[in-house]
Amino acid sequence: MKICIYCKTVDQEKFKGVEHVMPQSFGTFGSETPTLNCVCDECNNYFGRELDQALARDTLEGITRYKKGIFSKEQRFPKNVKFELEETEENGEYGGTMLGGYDPLTGKPIGVIPQFWIKNIKKNKWEKYRINQIRELEISDEIYGSVGPGKREMRIIGSSKNEYDDVLSELKKYKIPYREKEMLSPPPFIEKADPTGKAELRINIIGNINRKIKRALVKILFNFSTYILGEQETLKSAWDKARNFVRNDEDTLSGRFSQEPFWDGQETKHFRFESNSYNIRIENKNGNVIGIIQLYNLFTYEFFLAENYFIPPEKETAYRLTPGKKPCKGIKMKIS
Ligand SMILES: [Zn+2]
């Protein structure tokens, strides 16, 4: 009889699909793609909608998929990850300009997007808005600090006259008192472009790891633990905290993230394995079971899957998953 490892339902009618240990949006791994039969369809659908999409679309890892040739089926841009031009002397007053990131349909980089800036006197910084955010703006002394009439500093940035005009007409429509100025001279990165229009940009990518993203990552680790240890193991109460965090958004699981290499002793700061794979590992550490995950050589996330608990040492396992290839498996070696 099947029991769902997340909600513990025993309704046998609810096990029609399979759960992929690694969400399918990150690819599959041939005939050995790790899947589970012990996640009910209700939980599976809920995860697909709530967690997997957030991980795939709204994280640096998700966006990196596009660069690696895994594209989205629809053009939806991340809300949680921002691309900005670096604040360098070279970029001058364009430092902080918002860029479009990567096109989810093609993986191609998108340069400057039409945008509107207002100087916030209170915070002494420019606040930046996309054209579609203009309608929500409320320009007041309370938010942006007080300045004399007509003295508020504002600017429009776009990569063409058309984009400038689009922002301008949006400002007029919502009665934002922008005093028309000449367009700024073309941004330096456009002048530097080679004849095909390509320019090398130094950009900052700003993201934050919210609860949903954490839950999505813990789900992969919980799935992986079940795949390695069997559902009889992860159904035990030692795993409840992880289960309830993923499924019911209960108490946050402790964890940390770093840019440490994933493969201890094999990778260093300067030497890393190929950046097109996903690394996952479960192990005993300081009296707890820890799950570690890293996608595309980006951040290494560590979570306490089961506290004051341990798994049999021979079950401490690591996988390297590369889309389209069979998983590479490893077990922990004790060198004495
Ligand atoms: Zn369930």
Side-chain angles (χ1 to χ4, degrees), residues 286-299:
N286 304 327
N288 304 293
V289 181
I290 305 274
I292 303 156
I293 181 164
Q294 181 205 53
L295 312 179
Y296 301 118
N297 273 351
L298 295 167
F299 300 107

Side-chain angles (χ1 to χ4, degrees), residues 4-9 15 38-44 247:
C4 174
I5 53 164
Y6 287 104
C7 71
K8 298 193 176 172
T9 184
F15 291 89
C38 51
V39 175
C40 79
D41 299 333
E42 225 165 85
C43 289
N44 188 314
R247 183 61 179 94

